[in-house]
Amino acid sequence: MSSKNATVRPNVHPDAPSVKPDGPLSEVPHPPLEDHHGNFPSKPFPETGWRGPIPSQKGGSDEADFMHKPPYEWNSEGDLFQPKYYSQCWCGNVAFEFHGDPLDAKHCHCRQCQHLHGAPFQWAVIFPKTSVRMVKNKDDSLHFFATQRRQGVHDVPCKVSCNQCRSPLFDEGRNTVLAYPSAFKFPDRKVPLDFQPTAHIFYSERVMEVPDGVPKWSGHKGKSELLPELTTREGTMPKYKGAPEVSQSNSRRSGHVQTTPEERDNKNEE
């Protein structure tokens, strides 16, 4: 498959209307029915001037001269590649530019992401490989880590970072790049709408619950179960998850009377 006819199946746009069916998951925001479970529309890759097949599309480490192909150093035929976004590592030795907007954005709660990122979950946006280009690699600082081989080599799928400051930049997949928005230089530090996640995936492996109204999937989006976003399950953050509000009448019957902040202040003054 060439880059010209390559497609990716995006998640539901955050502005899409939600459907809340009856049942235990009635309070979980759901995608619209037409986008439910595997019926996601395909989104074509933009034309960016790359004329060959997508590099490393079969995975592995056999791609010849990969450093002069997307998503690394390469030339756009007809200058069709129009940079819109820019990302770089913490020390500035490695930098990339991106054509157009991401195809999708997501939070991943799988244990591998937790471990490799040293964080409760990963935030990533998806770009076609042919929409990404390296513009700086000072002192040959680019570093690869193949998660399947657990070695510091370029073997797709792999993680890309800076060997100097160790900042993670993106995951290189067979067709796409999962870039980390934390490395992007947004004007006024404002996150564009297309970078805001449309789903949480592998939420069943979460160590932290996120009540943000974005659909939570137990595994991959559209191919797993939708989960409640906030539970009373022990062992997940936040530690204090609150409790149902107690009405004034119920409080009096139970012997506990709720007070206003002003009443509590007056009591403290006494």
Side-chain angles (χ1 to χ4, degrees):
M1 181 174 64
S2 68
S3 60
K4 189 173 182 179
N5 57 12
T7 59
V8 69
R9 298 185 180 279
N11 290 328
V12 176
H13 192 277
D15 287 344
S18 61
V19 178
K20 295 185 177 181
D22 295 331
L25 300 181
S26 59
E27 297 305 316
V28 181
H30 284 57
L33 292 177
E34 61 269 21
D35 285 348
H36 204 272
H37 289 285
N39 295 322
F40 309 111
S42 297
K43 199 170 185 179
F45 284 13
E47 176 60 76
T48 58
W50 175 253
R51 294 296 176 246
I54 297 177
S56 301
Q57 191 176 40
K58 295 181 179 179
S61 57
D62 296 333
E63 185 71 37
D65 197 27
F66 70 89
M67 283 294 291
H68 295 100
K69 300 175 181 178
Y72 304 108
E73 293 179 311
W74 61 282
N75 294 319
S76 168
E77 184 176 307
D79 290 328
L80 295 177
F81 189 107
Q82 298 296 316
K84 184 173 182 178
Y85 300 106
Y86 177 89
S87 76
Q88 70 176 38
C89 64
W90 179 257
C91 70
N93 276 13
V94 182
F96 288 84
E97 56 187 11
F98 298 78
H99 172 99
D101 293 308
L103 301 171
D104 196 14
K106 53 88 175 178
H107 284 317
C108 181
H109 295 256
C110 78
R111 293 188 180 93
Q112 177 173 286
C113 285
Q114 293 174 28
H115 200 159
L116 289 170
H117 288 264
F121 50 87
Q122 176 205 72
W123 175 25
V125 290
I126 302 174
F127 280 91
K129 278 191 185 181
T130 52
S131 292
V132 184
R133 182 165 62 188
M134 185 170 67
V135 293
K136 189 177 181 181
N137 185 19
K138 182 181 177 181
D139 299 331
D140 195 25
S141 296
L142 195 67
H143 181 266
F144 304 103
F145 179 74
T147 53
Q148 293 179 343
R149 291 174 55 177
R150 302 194 178 194
Q151 295 178 345
V153 296
H154 181 260
D155 191 314
V156 176
C158 66
K159 290 188 170 289
V160 179
S161 63
C162 172
N163 200 37
Q164 182 67 28
C165 64
R166 302 295 181 176
S167 297
L169 292 164
F170 61 73
D171 292 357
E172 181 188 352
R174 291 173 174 80
N175 297 293
T176 60
V177 159
L178 276 68
Y180 309 138
S182 300
F184 281 65
K185 303 298 181 182
F186 299 127
D188 301 323
R189 300 177 64 86
K190 294 180 179 179
V191 180
L193 179 63
D194 288 312
F195 282 71
Q196 298 180 26
T198 62
H200 291 257
I201 62 173
F202 291 94
Y203 200 63
S204 59
E205 300 181 20
R206 67 194 180 279
V207 294
M208 179 179 183
E209 298 189 326
V210 187
D212 59 358
V214 177
K216 312 293 190 298
W217 299 86
S218 62
H220 283 293
K221 201 247 180 187
K223 298 180 180 180
S224 58
E225 179 187 6
L226 280 166
L227 300 177
E229 60 182 12
L230 192 62
T231 69
T232 57
R233 189 176 74 176
E234 293 183 359
T236 56
M237 297 182 287
K239 181 177 182 180
Y240 302 106
K241 301 186 180 185
E245 292 184 1
V246 181
S247 66
Q248 193 79 6
S249 58
N250 288 339
S251 300
R252 290 195 174 95
R253 282 199 299 269
S254 63
H256 173 71
V257 179
Q258 291 178 319
T259 58
T260 65
E262 292 78 11
E263 290 172 331
R264 288 194 293 272
D265 289 340
N266 292 336
K267 183 177 180 181
N268 291 335
E269 291 175 359
E270 295 174 356

